[in-house]
Amino acid sequence: SQSIKPSSSHVLGSGAGAEIDRAECVIRMNDAPTTGYEADVGNRTSLRVVAHSSVFRVVRRPTEFLNHSNNMAIIFWGPPTKIGREAKGTLYRLIQRVSMTYSNLSIFTITPGKMRKFDSLFQKETGRDREKSRSWLSTGWFTMVIAIEICDNIKVYGMVPPNYCGRRPQPKRMPYHYYKPRGADECAIYLQNERGRRGNHHRFITEKQVFARWAKSYNITFSHPFCIFSNN
Ligand SMILES: *[C@@H]1O[C@H](CO)[C@@H](O)[C@H](O)[C@H]1NC(C)=O
Ligand SMILES: *[C@@H]1O[C@H](CO)[C@@H](O)[C@H](O)[C@H]1NC(C)=O
Ligand SMILES: *[C@@H]1O[C@H](CO)[C@@H](O)[C@H](O)[C@H]1NC(C)=O
Ligand SMILES: *[C@@H]1O[C@H](CO)[C@@H](O)[C@H](O)[C@H]1NC(C)=O
């Protein structure tokens, strides 16, 4: 069995760590740490999917994220102008250096051609052009698509259903990330991003609607909050 561990604070107090660690493959996102949160999120990482905007946060904490003796993989995603081979920019060079320094890591960068495929999948699933709607796909989107490609069945921890933030009465405030207890409220971030028109936002809720549909065709279940889409 396989799992993805998103970064939301719904996992706090779940005690799901041991269960997550039993999965064949544990996928984490961006700079979500395990140290200090093992009981709820486990302590193994097989694959980490990291956005261009999180590269510095990951590189700054090598003991937590990079210097692992087991073979762990990292997939970096981002605009080709930032992380692409042709860009030869700061981020590209930083990723190169990480892969030379931590030779036990398997490091991948999503190629420009593959980036376009993620966009066209989004358009196919939502009828919306990602670029024209001036939004970014989220790390959750990349992670879910990658998980579907590599895993037979997927258990997602900590992801709320698409209608969650529209519920009345409004759900109680929850920090967006379990490792930033004083960070912004999750629903505030989701709703603000979903309505954003000016670029640099993510369609978190639209993406979750797609995940809910995919859950019916792929073996995806959701846990903490437990619920909702089961595929039988
Ligand atoms: C974490 O790792 C250690 C050693 O590999 C293990 O004994 C422990 O039970 C693991 N899980 C959690 C939830 O801490
Ligand atoms: C990785 O960790 C080991 C100890 O576990 C240490 O000896 C080594 O210097 C570290 N490597 C880097 C590049 O930080
Ligand atoms: C990389 O793996 C080898 C073989 O498993 C191990 O001896 C070495 O300590 C590892 N390096 C780091 C930085 O953990
Ligand atoms: C879905 O995955 C679960 C384990 O998470 C497994 O028990 C079940 O048999 C799978 N169902 C299908 C249809 O593959």
Side-chain angles (χ1 to χ4, degrees):
S1 146
Q2 326 268 346
S3 33
I4 310 189
K5 225 305 295 146
S7 315
S8 97
S9 62
H10 294 271
V11 293
L12 289 180
S14 67
E19 178 187 306
I20 291 171
D21 281 340
R22 279 196 298 274
E24 196 181 324
C25 171
V26 179
I27 308 177
R28 302 183 191 276
M29 298 191 287
N30 292 326
D31 59 330
T34 56
T35 304
Y37 303 95
E38 293 88 343
D40 293 329
V41 308
N43 59 18
R44 283 184 47 230
T45 304
S46 323
L47 168 66
R48 191 173 281 279
V49 180
V50 176
H52 57 105
S53 50
S54 290
V55 175
F56 287 112
R57 278 190 290 270
V58 164
V59 171
R60 219 177 280 144
R61 293 177 65 189
T63 314
E64 179 70 36
F65 298 121
L66 304 173
N67 196 357
H68 290 212
S69 51
N70 54 354
N71 32 32
M72 182 177 73
I74 302 185
I75 298 181
F76 292 100
W77 74 269
T81 52
K82 294 205 165 145
I83 63 166
R85 189 188 309 253
E86 288 70 31
K88 296 238 190 311
T90 314
L91 282 184
Y92 173 79
R93 290 201 309 269
L94 188 54
I95 292 168
Q96 287 293 301
R97 203 162 73 227
V98 164
S99 86
M100 284 187 281
T101 309
Y102 303 97
S103 48
N104 287 359
L105 292 179
S106 305
I107 304 249
F108 304 92
T109 299
I110 296 181
T111 60
K114 262 282 187 185
M115 285 298 289
R116 282 192 294 276
K117 290 211 168 112
F118 281 91
D119 279 347
S120 43
L121 181 61
F122 181 78
Q123 174 146 29
K124 174 170 157 263
E125 294 292 336
T126 65
R128 291 156 90 171
D129 183 304
R130 199 269 310 156
E131 256 176 304
K132 281 197 197 119
S133 88
R134 311 189 61 185
S135 57
W136 282 108
L137 299 172
S138 74
T139 299
W141 178 270
F142 285 92
T143 306
M144 190 66 95
V145 174
I146 291 166
I148 288 171
E149 283 189 18
I150 63 181
C151 307
D152 294 332
N153 62 72
I154 299 168
K155 189 156 178 184
V156 181
Y157 293 82
M159 185 182 282
V160 301
N163 59 357
Y164 175 83
C165 294
R167 283 183 189 164
R168 296 287 175 273
Q170 280 186 338
K172 107 175 153 40
R173 284 180 58 90
M174 295 286 273
Y176 179 50
H177 287 146
Y178 64 81
Y179 47 98
K180 289 182 193 141
R182 290 198 284 209
D185 173 55
E186 175 181 50
C187 278
I189 289 184
Y190 285 167
L191 293 169
Q192 197 178 39
N193 270 277
E194 192 68 19
R195 293 169 188 148
R197 290 286 170 274
R198 247 178 289 150
N200 269 331
H201 45 259
H202 296 292
R203 302 296 186 206
F204 292 116
I205 295 174
T206 304
E207 290 182 0
K208 284 176 178 48
Q209 288 161 352
V210 176
F211 300 158
R213 275 206 312 277
W214 285 347
K216 299 192 180 96
S217 13
Y218 305 98
N219 198 350
I220 306 176
T221 52
F222 295 80
S223 176
H224 302 97
F226 192 67
C227 42
I228 41 182
F229 338 111
S230 79
N231 57 320
N232 30 41

